[in-house]
Amino acid sequence: MLKKKLRGKSKFLRKMNELMEIYSRNQDTAFAYRELLGLEPLIKYEGERAMFDLNRASLLYDMERYREAENVLRRIPSINPMFDAMCESLRFKILDAK
């Protein structure tokens, strides 16, 4: 019951998840990046900002804009061990790509 309430609360997370699902199917990075930036005004919480930044950095990585992706990753605060591990995984991918 609690999960249902939380899932329906964040308009930002719903829209971001839909966008990333579309991106996973069509791989149009430029479109996904523009759309993601358009969701930024919907961010209300630190966790939402962190997820936005992680997805933004991932898309920048996919566009081979490694320095920008790295700069975005540096600004992401530590949220929890699982989220931090996702950030570190992307950080290592960026370092390998340089």
Side-chain angles (χ1 to χ4, degrees):
M1 188 154 137
L2 181 59
K3 284 184 181 181
K4 197 172 198 177
K5 281 185 177 181
L6 292 175
R7 200 175 331 158
K9 290 269 184 185
S10 176
K11 185 176 184 178
F12 167 75
L13 288 177
R14 275 196 323 264
K15 288 187 175 282
M16 186 183 65
N17 286 337
E18 287 172 15
L19 173 63
M20 297 314 285
E21 187 175 318
I22 291 167
Y23 172 65
S24 73
R25 282 189 240 131
N26 72 10
Q27 297 297 305
D28 186 348
T29 311
F31 167 80
Y33 188 74
R34 281 191 311 273
E35 292 296 311
L36 182 67
L37 292 180
L39 296 178
E40 191 170 13
L42 299 176
I43 296 171
K44 294 181 181 177
Y45 305 104
E46 182 184 9
E48 291 175 343
R49 165 63 61 187
M51 285 299 297
F52 170 83
D53 286 338
L54 178 59
N55 282 308
R56 182 173 167 222
S58 294
L59 290 170
L60 287 167
Y61 170 81
D62 288 348
M63 293 188 291
E64 298 180 0
R65 293 166 55 182
Y66 306 123
R67 188 171 305 273
E68 289 177 72
E70 190 174 22
N71 288 336
V72 170
L73 277 175
R74 283 190 190 127
R75 293 192 305 259
I76 299 175
S78 177
I79 301 293
N80 63 45
M82 190 156 95
F83 181 79
D84 296 347
M86 289 188 298
C87 291
E88 282 304 305
S89 174
L90 180 57
R91 191 176 328 262
F92 286 127
K93 286 180 183 179
I94 291 169
L95 290 172
D96 285 343
K98 283 183 164 183

